């Protein structure tokens, strides 16, 4: 650390590199926060979480009970032990409450004054945060599994919606109608995600074992279908042109949008080049996934070595994205975890589970001390940590 600080002070080191190294150190030290509770409101499992990108202060949660809760994550009391209180909620007595399980909640990317939610009740609702009333409601013929708004779009207001039907629906918030449909999948659409790099690129995952990337400006739509074999197997092979050997129920772009992560019920996670659809063949080992619906996992942002956080039974597995190494397992829930979200401002992680709880994972304030009295050598350090701090000895 002193090496980084002195190098930065003398102008020999990019300040961004110090920030990335410190962010990496903090992610590697994530642990369950014993000083902070998240007020328990949901009467059944928590399916989805989202932190608004403007201040990273307010968090939405959606549950199997149809309830939506808005939390303030800031410690306004300035006390060491505190509870993140619910600012407001769309409870069972609210006139516009979802009838069935809320599967996805998402803040409007540019303003905290609006958010969206979708549910098994076949609706996508647009909410006014200040009044907690619906500004618009989109009705579908099929159960809604997931939806997503582009985090970078400036030229369109499209919401991609995945339903029990094989068609991806694009809803325009400006016109209040379904603008067009993307056809190509054969079974239900379990997950959708817009690229954080290009506002017109959309990835969709289906129970038909396929993942497709689309350019919504094109008439034909589909750019390519991901192939786990990179085209090396005959088209006659059953698994040809499939991303997984089971349902694909999770999608997540890396923060720079250059790669796409997918998870499937074949207990595998794969990393793809999002520009050409190539399987990078990174081996993450077995990634336990028995979820029958969308699995919401997340990635870090701003670290020297980026990480992916994946619900793994009642735990959360942390992997380095580009090497596939499992760093740790975060244990705290006592039932299956269905969602997690990363807060990049302070390198914090929040997770929601079927045990009705939301847990906060924060960087430890101290560095782990080895069990023995021997000094820690480089070979004993976590490889991801070692990479991030390799120059400190040379420049200190």
């Amino acid at each position: 650390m002193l090496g980084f600080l002195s190098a930065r002070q003398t102008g020999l080191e990019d300040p961004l590199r110090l920030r990335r190294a410190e962010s990496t150190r903090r992610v590697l030290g994530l642990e369950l926060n014993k000083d902070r509770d998240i007020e328990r409101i949901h009467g059944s499992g928590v399916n989805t979480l989202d932190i608004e990108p403007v201040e990273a202060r307010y968090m939405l949660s959606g549950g199997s009970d149809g309830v939506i809760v808005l939390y303030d994550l800031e410690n306004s009391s300035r006390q060491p032990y505190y509870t993140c209180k619910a600012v407001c909620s769309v409870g069972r007595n609210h006139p516009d409450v979802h009838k069935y399980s809320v599967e996805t909640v998402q803040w409007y990317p540019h303003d905290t004054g609006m958010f969206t939610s979708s549910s098994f009740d076949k609706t996508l609702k647009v909410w006014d945060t200040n009044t907690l009333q619906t500004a618009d409601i989109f009705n579908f013929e099929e159960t809604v599994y997931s939806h997503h708004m582009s985090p970078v779009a400036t030229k369109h207001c499209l919401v991609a919606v995945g339903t029990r039907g094989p068609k991806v629906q694009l809803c325009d918030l400006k016109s209040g109608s379904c603008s067009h449909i993307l056809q190509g999948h054969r079974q239900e659409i379990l997950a959708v995600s817009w690229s954080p790099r290009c506002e017109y690129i959309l990835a969709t995952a289906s129970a038909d074992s396929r993942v497709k990337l689309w350019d919504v400006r094109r008439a034909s739509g589909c750019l390519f279908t991901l192939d786990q074999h990179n085209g090396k197997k005959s088209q006659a092979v059953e698994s040809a042109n499939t991303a997984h050997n089971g349902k694909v129920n999770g999608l997540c772009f890396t923060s720079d949008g250059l790669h796409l992560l997918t998870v499937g019920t074949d207990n595998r996670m794969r990393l793809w080049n999002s520009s050409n659809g190539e399987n990078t063949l990174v081996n993450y080992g077995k990634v336990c996934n028995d979820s029958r619906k969308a699995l919401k996992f997340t990635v870090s942002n701003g670290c020297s070595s980026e990480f992916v956080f994946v619900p793994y039974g009642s735990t959360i597995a942390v992997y380095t994205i580009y090497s596939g190494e499992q760093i740790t397992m975060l244990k705290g829930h006592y039932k299956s975890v269905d969602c997690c979200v990363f807060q990049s401002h302070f390198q914090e992680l929040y997770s929601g589970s079927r045990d009705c709880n939301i847990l906060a994972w924060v960087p430890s304030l101290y560095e782990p001390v080895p069990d023995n009295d021997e000094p820690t050598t480089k070979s004993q350090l976590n490889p991801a940590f070692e990479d991030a701090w390799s120059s400190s000895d040379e420049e200190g």
Side-chain angles (χ1 to χ4, degrees), residues 324-366:
E325 180 192 3
Q326 186 183 103
I327 300 299
T328 187
M329 299 283 277
L330 302 177
K331 300 177 181 179
H333 290 286
Y334 55 89
K335 285 189 179 179
S336 292
V337 179
D338 282 325
C339 59
C340 56
V341 63
F342 185 72
Q343 205 267 46
S344 59
H345 286 48
F346 302 109
Q347 294 79 46
E348 298 175 345
L349 183 74
Y350 294 85
S351 58
S353 165
R354 295 176 198 175
D355 61 15
C356 309
N357 292 315
I358 299 171
L359 298 183
W361 310 84
V362 299
S364 59
L365 297 178
Y366 57 88

Side-chain angles (χ1 to χ4, degrees), residues 21 70 89 120 126 137 173 179 208 339-340 383 390:
L70 193 161
S89 65
F120 278 176
V126 183
I137 300 177
L173 293 181
S179 60
D208 63 9
C339 59
C340 56
S390 57

Side-chain angles (χ1 to χ4, degrees), residues 36 47 117 165 182 193 216 237 241-242 286 304 322 342 373 384:
R36 183 192 320 180
N47 296 328
S117 63
L182 304 176
S193 181
V216 298
V237 177
N241 248 17
T242 59
K286 181 180 179 180
S304 303
Y322 301 108
F342 185 72
D373 295 330

Side-chain angles (χ1 to χ4, degrees), residues 23 205 374:
S23 295
E374 297 176 9

Side-chain angles (χ1 to χ4, degrees), residues 152-293:
V152 295
T154 57
K155 298 178 181 177
H156 72 75
C157 288
L158 297 175
V159 183
V161 182
T163 69
R164 185 170 285 176
K167 299 174 183 177
V168 181
Q169 314 219 29
L170 299 180
C171 299
D172 191 340
L173 293 181
K174 287 184 178 177
S175 66
S177 62
C178 184
S179 60
H180 57 291
I181 290 170
L182 304 176
Q183 300 188 65
H185 285 292
R186 301 173 186 174
Q187 296 183 44
E188 61 261 35
I189 311 299
L190 296 174
V192 294
S193 181
W194 292 96
S195 166
R197 193 173 188 86
C198 176
E199 63 180 280
Y200 297 106
I201 302 300
L202 174 70
T204 59
S206 170
D208 63 9
S209 303
R210 288 172 170 80
V211 174
K212 293 179 179 289
L213 265 74
W214 314 76
D215 185 335
V216 298
R217 296 168 296 185
R218 291 166 47 128
S220 56
C222 186
L223 291 173
F224 44 76
T225 302
L226 302 184
D227 182 4
Q228 60 182 302
H229 305 296
N230 286 332
K232 293 180 182 178
K233 293 218 172 182
S234 165
Q235 292 296 317
V237 177
E238 188 178 343
S239 62
N241 248 17
T242 59
H244 289 264
N245 295 324
K247 296 180 180 181
V248 189
N249 61 348
L251 280 175
C252 187
F253 280 95
T254 54
S255 55
D256 57 13
L258 294 176
H259 292 85
L260 175 69
L261 285 151
T262 62
V263 293
T265 56
D266 56 356
N267 294 328
R268 289 289 178 265
M269 179 163 63
R270 294 196 167 94
L271 179 70
W272 311 82
N273 184 318
S274 60
S275 62
N276 59 17
E278 181 184 2
N279 183 358
T280 62
L281 304 177
V282 174
N283 182 13
Y284 299 96
K286 181 180 179 180
V287 181
C288 183
N289 177 3
D290 58 0
S291 178
R292 297 182 180 180
K293 51 187 181 180

